[in-house]
Amino acid sequence: TVEGMRGLWMWTITLFSFALFLRGEEPLRLKLRHLKLPSNYSVNCGNVPQRIEVKIPWSKADRKAKGVTLSLWANPLNRELCPVSALFVWLLITGMKKGNNYIFPRVAKNNRAVQLNSSRGVTSYRKQFTEMSKTLFETEFSTHSIRRSAARWAARCGANDTSIKRAGRWKSNSFELYTQDARAEMIKEHHDGHPPRDHKMWMFKPLR
């Protein structure tokens, strides 16, 4: 199901992963202590911050576990697609406060709460994402499609390949397959008299 707590879990982790170009397993390992709010931000101000720092402790391309800090930017163009707002809503509803709590823990069987100290398995996450995409779009997508789509959308919003490569932490130029296809689509859309409007829904900003 894509409703209840599982639906909110999936929506939040998808926006979060998309905005940070994350690999499938990366958000599942993150805990609250990996998030850092701006020093001048007050939780009582009634607004979400413009950005949140997210520490990725290690990844597929970071074998020595040096870690990297990325900026999760708010989306002022479309509040419904704002990863910072989505994250704040998620934390508020789940009631997570302790630094050792996983940001995206396992959802309870009743689909009404989360198991704060229980991590979600990668295989389970991938399976649920595929099932959700089939339910919503009648097409099966993998969690890798989030990272791929982030690169494509960034290209459609005017980002150059150097910025996209740095944002996605790619070591090779394999991502160019996604960005070249995205720009080719835009040319065709212009030619057909349907100019792209992606830049009016999402604003790409450097992540680090």
Side-chain angles (χ1 to χ4, degrees):
T1 179
V2 293
E3 300 177 345
M5 190 63 75
R6 291 191 186 91
L8 182 60
W9 186 98
M10 187 60 70
W11 172 250
T12 309
I13 197 173
T14 300
L15 270 182
F16 184 87
S17 299
F18 178 89
L20 294 176
F21 290 65
L22 298 184
R23 297 176 176 86
E25 73 282 357
E26 289 178 338
L28 301 178
R29 294 194 291 262
L30 298 179
K31 297 185 176 183
L32 286 186
R33 58 185 170 83
H34 294 128
L35 302 179
K36 183 180 179 181
L37 295 171
S39 58
N40 61 346
Y41 177 76
S42 171
V43 293
N44 298 318
C45 69
N47 297 314
V48 298
Q50 290 299 306
R51 74 183 182 94
I52 297 175
E53 289 187 357
V54 182
K55 176 68 178 294
I56 309 298
W58 67 276
S59 66
K60 176 182 177 181
D62 180 23
R63 296 300 185 184
K64 295 184 179 180
K66 293 181 178 180
V68 62
T69 298
L70 306 177
S71 291
L72 180 71
W73 292 97
N75 180 10
L77 301 180
N78 190 320
R79 188 176 181 83
E80 293 182 359
L81 296 178
C82 178
V84 175
S85 295
L87 180 61
F88 266 53
V89 169
W90 170 252
L91 296 178
L92 179 64
I93 290 178
T94 57
M96 286 185 282
K97 297 179 180 179
K98 296 182 179 180
N100 282 329
N101 287 155
Y102 286 100
I103 299 176
F104 299 105
R106 187 184 303 274
V107 175
K109 291 183 178 180
N110 63 11
N111 198 21
R112 296 178 180 177
V114 295
Q115 299 173 353
L116 294 179
N117 297 313
S118 179
S119 62
R120 182 68 180 270
V122 177
T123 301
S124 174
Y125 167 42
R126 289 173 176 168
K127 180 181 179 181
Q128 185 179 343
F129 184 87
T130 299
E131 292 174 348
M132 179 199 70
S133 64
K134 187 174 182 179
T135 298
L136 295 176
F137 311 111
E138 298 183 353
T139 301
E140 293 186 355
F141 292 105
S142 68
T143 53
H144 179 68
S145 65
I146 300 175
R147 182 170 161 84
R148 180 174 64 240
S149 296
R152 290 172 60 87
W153 198 317
R156 292 178 64 90
C157 288
N160 60 44
D161 281 352
T162 299
S163 297
I164 294 173
K165 183 176 184 178
R166 183 172 173 78
R169 294 165 289 139
W170 275 284
K171 297 296 185 181
S172 70
N173 294 327
S174 59
F175 71 96
E176 291 181 353
L177 176 64
Y178 315 140
T179 58
Q180 290 173 3
D181 284 349
R183 294 185 181 109
E185 288 177 355
M186 292 177 68
I187 293 174
K188 184 178 184 303
E189 290 167 6
H190 273 292
H191 180 76
D192 294 341
H194 303 291
R197 299 175 57 85
D198 304 67
H199 63 286
K200 295 185 178 181
M201 298 177 63
W202 191 278
M203 182 184 300
F204 174 81
K205 292 184 179 181
L207 305 186
R208 59 191 179 109

